[in-house]
């Protein structure tokens, strides 16, 4: 075996090694991206699910099928905290006012993500329904008629004219601990003002 | 290594390079789609917030303090804000712009208000009707797409 043959073998081994590293890196990236995209999809589905549940409840705030039972929508909010809210709404449209609460709970220890927490919805005196969809942040801001921010917890909820809901959701599992997140916020009115429009 | 072997090796390298570039392109495109989707959620939340804000206002400058039964007495279009900076009726949102930054992503919302007919709410009309349509367009330099949301606000009087 001559010198040139040795050079050939050595060169091809080096180039082959480089190619192998490239292919392995490509495979690693493909695996990472596949995991991330799956996580992104479930993340956005989770966010939509939470938004739909909240939209359904919050748009009924102060509503009652029998309006004589709840004529003043200003009294809709019972308590208004930074990360919790309790309000009246005729959720099942039966003319009986229900009490709905939303609040965030403790950090979850059963998932790899260290920031996700339980998110609770409580209807009347039923046990709270714990939602585990990767919620990492839930906070509210309240505004008065002039649009000025009210400090939470609001001592007099009748001052609230509108409020802002903020929710951040993260993937529960992630590749290499790179958690994806999505954010949703919305300003909502307490109730349509029943004045002359 | 003879010429044939060299050509095979070069051909294999070209094929591998093309394959890697193709995979990278697909990954970047999917990243872009995922980012657009996230930005879309944020833009939608900004748009719905603006719509909610506008919906709390009276239907027209002329209906703020008294009921109206003749639609010809409503403010004619195109709408001009009566008191700049004071948004006190629904059509004041015509030409309203708002910039917002969420997680370092800048958004710009541009609003327009037109009269529409109940029978064809997609088409703006010049004459006064009992229905106004607010269209909000939200753009961001981070996305090529423009999110467009609209709502129709009809005049009503609570007795």
């Amino acid at each position: 075996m001559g010198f040139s043959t040795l050079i050939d073998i050595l060169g091809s081994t080096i180039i082959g090694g480089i190619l192998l590293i490239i292919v392995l890196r490509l495979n690693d990236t493909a695996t990472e991206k596949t995991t991330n995209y799956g996580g992104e999809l479930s993340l956005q589905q989770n966010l939509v699910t939470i938004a739909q549940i909240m939209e359904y409840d919050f748009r009924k705030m102060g509503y009652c099928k029998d309006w004589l039972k709840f004529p003043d929508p200003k009294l809709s909010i019972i308590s208004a905290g930074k990360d919790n809210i309790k309000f009246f709404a005729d959720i099942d449209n039966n003319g009986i006012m229900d009490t709905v609460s939303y609040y965030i709970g403790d950090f979850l220890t059963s998932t790899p993500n260290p920031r996700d927490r339980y998110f609770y919805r409580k209807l009347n005196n039923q046990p709270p329904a714990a939602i585990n969809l990767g919620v990492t942040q839930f906070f509210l801001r309240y505004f008065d008629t002039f649009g000025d921010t009210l400090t939470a917890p609001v001592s007099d909820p009748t001052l609230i004219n509108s409020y802002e809901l903020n929710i951040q959701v993260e993937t529960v599992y992630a590749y290499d601990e790179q958690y994806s997140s999505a954010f949703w916020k919305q300003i909502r009115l307490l109730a349509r003002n029943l004045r002359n429009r | 290594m003879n010429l044939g072997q060299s050509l095979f090796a070069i051909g294999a390298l070209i094929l591998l390079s093309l394959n890697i570039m193709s995979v990278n392109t697909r990954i970047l495109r999917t990243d872009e789609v995922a980012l657009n989707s996230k930005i879309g959620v944020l833009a939608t939340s900004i748009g719905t917030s603006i719509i909610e804000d506008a919906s709390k206002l009276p239907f027209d400058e002329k209906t703020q303090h008294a009921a109206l039964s003749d639609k010809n007495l409503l403010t004619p279009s195109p709408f001009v804000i009566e008191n700049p900076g004071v948004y006190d009726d629904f059509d004041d949102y015509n030409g309203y712009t708002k910039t917002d930054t969420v997680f370092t992503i800048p958004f710009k919302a541009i609003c327009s208000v037109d009269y529409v007919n109940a029978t064809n709410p997609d088409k703006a009309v010049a004459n006064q009707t009992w229905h106004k349509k607010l269209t909000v367009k939200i753009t961001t330099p981070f996305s090529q797409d423009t999110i467009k949301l609209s709502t129709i606000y009809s005049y009503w009087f609570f007795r």
Side-chain angles (χ1 to χ4, degrees):
Chain A
M1 197 156 58
F3 181 71
S4 67
T5 313
L6 279 174
I7 291 291
D8 280 351
I9 291 169
L10 193 64
S12 60
T13 305
I14 290 168
I15 290 173
I18 291 170
L19 289 179
L20 192 64
I21 288 168
I22 290 171
V23 170
L24 288 175
R25 176 89 184 105
L26 188 70
N27 187 45
D28 186 45
T29 308
T31 309
E32 179 191 339
K33 291 293 176 186
T34 306
T35 311
N36 285 351
Y37 296 146
E40 284 276 352
L41 179 66
S42 56
L43 170 79
Q44 294 192 22
Q45 283 173 338
N46 288 350
L47 189 65
V48 169
T49 304
I50 292 169
Q52 280 177 337
I53 294 170
M54 293 182 71
E55 283 266 345
Y56 181 82
D57 286 347
F58 279 82
R59 75 190 174 92
K60 289 194 169 184
M61 184 187 283
Y63 164 76
C64 185
K65 188 182 180 185
D66 180 3
W67 71 274
L68 289 168
K69 287 185 180 170
F70 202 80
D72 188 359
K74 276 277 176 195
L75 304 172
S76 305
I77 296 182
I78 303 164
S79 65
K82 196 177 174 185
D83 55 8
N84 58 79
I85 187 166
K86 190 174 184 181
F87 57 91
F88 287 117
D90 182 5
I91 295 293
D92 35 16
N93 201 32
N94 59 359
I96 299 167
M97 285 308 259
D98 301 299
T99 310
V100 188
S101 310
Y102 277 94
Y103 55 95
I104 197 150
D106 293 331
F107 291 101
L108 280 159
T109 50
S110 55
T111 60
N113 189 329
R115 290 175 297 276
D116 59 347
R117 303 166 78 170
Y118 274 123
F119 184 52
Y120 292 100
R121 174 186 184 268
K122 189 172 187 296
L123 184 65
N124 298 323
N125 291 322
Q126 294 173 9
I131 301 166
N132 176 16
L133 292 172
V135 176
T136 53
Q137 273 189 51
F138 170 66
F139 63 93
L140 298 117
R141 292 170 66 207
Y142 305 93
F143 309 98
D144 63 13
T145 314
F146 305 105
D148 296 329
T149 308
L150 296 165
T151 311
V154 182
S155 53
D156 182 5
T158 58
L159 295 174
I160 299 168
N161 179 264
S162 56
Y163 53 93
E164 185 186 270
L165 297 164
N166 295 273
I167 281 204
Q168 186 173 0
V169 180
E170 285 187 16
T171 43
V172 178
Y173 301 93
Y175 188 91
D176 208 16
E177 295 192 0
Q178 298 294 311
Y179 297 99
S180 303
S181 68
F183 190 74
W184 179 74
K185 73 169 186 176
Q186 190 175 50
I187 293 173
R188 295 194 68 84
L189 295 177
L190 179 65
R192 295 279 182 271
N193 198 340
L194 303 180
R195 286 185 307 152
N196 179 17
R197 310 307 294 172
Chain B
M1 199 156 77
N2 61 32
L3 183 65
Q5 287 170 324
S6 299
L7 284 175
F8 274 126
I10 290 166
L13 282 174
I14 290 170
L15 280 176
L16 184 68
S17 305
L18 287 175
N19 188 33
I20 288 170
M21 280 195 287
S22 162
V23 171
N24 276 339
T25 307
R26 269 178 243 154
I27 286 172
L28 288 172
R29 279 193 187 151
T30 316
D31 274 345
E32 194 182 349
V33 170
L35 184 66
N36 272 340
S37 175
K38 269 194 213 178
I39 288 172
V41 172
L42 287 172
T44 307
S45 63
I46 289 170
T48 50
S49 296
I50 291 174
I51 287 174
E52 192 77 4
D53 257 346
S55 303
K56 72 181 175 190
L57 298 173
F59 180 75
D60 195 278
E61 184 79 15
K62 311 281 174 54
T63 65
Q64 280 189 34
H65 307 293
L68 210 68
S69 55
D70 182 1
K71 59 187 176 185
N72 292 317
L73 297 175
L74 294 169
T75 309
S77 67
F79 302 108
V80 180
I81 187 164
E82 294 84 9
N83 308 308
V86 181
Y87 297 91
D88 55 5
D89 65 278
F90 190 74
D91 57 56
D92 284 348
Y93 274 76
N94 188 41
Y96 172 78
T97 57
K98 183 184 180 184
T99 51
D100 201 350
T101 303
V102 186
F103 290 133
T104 70
I105 302 171
F107 290 93
K108 185 176 184 184
I110 303 169
C111 305
S112 62
V113 181
D114 295 292
Y115 281 115
V116 290
N117 278 319
T119 49
N120 185 13
D122 288 334
K123 192 184 173 195
V125 293
N127 57 305
Q128 293 99 316
T129 68
W130 295 121
H131 315 282
K132 285 175 182 172
K133 184 177 182 180
L134 168 66
T135 306
V136 188
K137 288 178 185 169
I138 304 114
T139 55
T140 171
F142 283 66
S143 172
Q144 291 178 338
D145 293 334
T146 298
I147 303 287
K148 188 176 161 186
L149 303 169
S150 60
T151 187
I152 293 176
Y153 191 39
S154 302
Y155 178 60
W156 55 277
F157 175 62
F158 185 74
R159 294 171 197 276

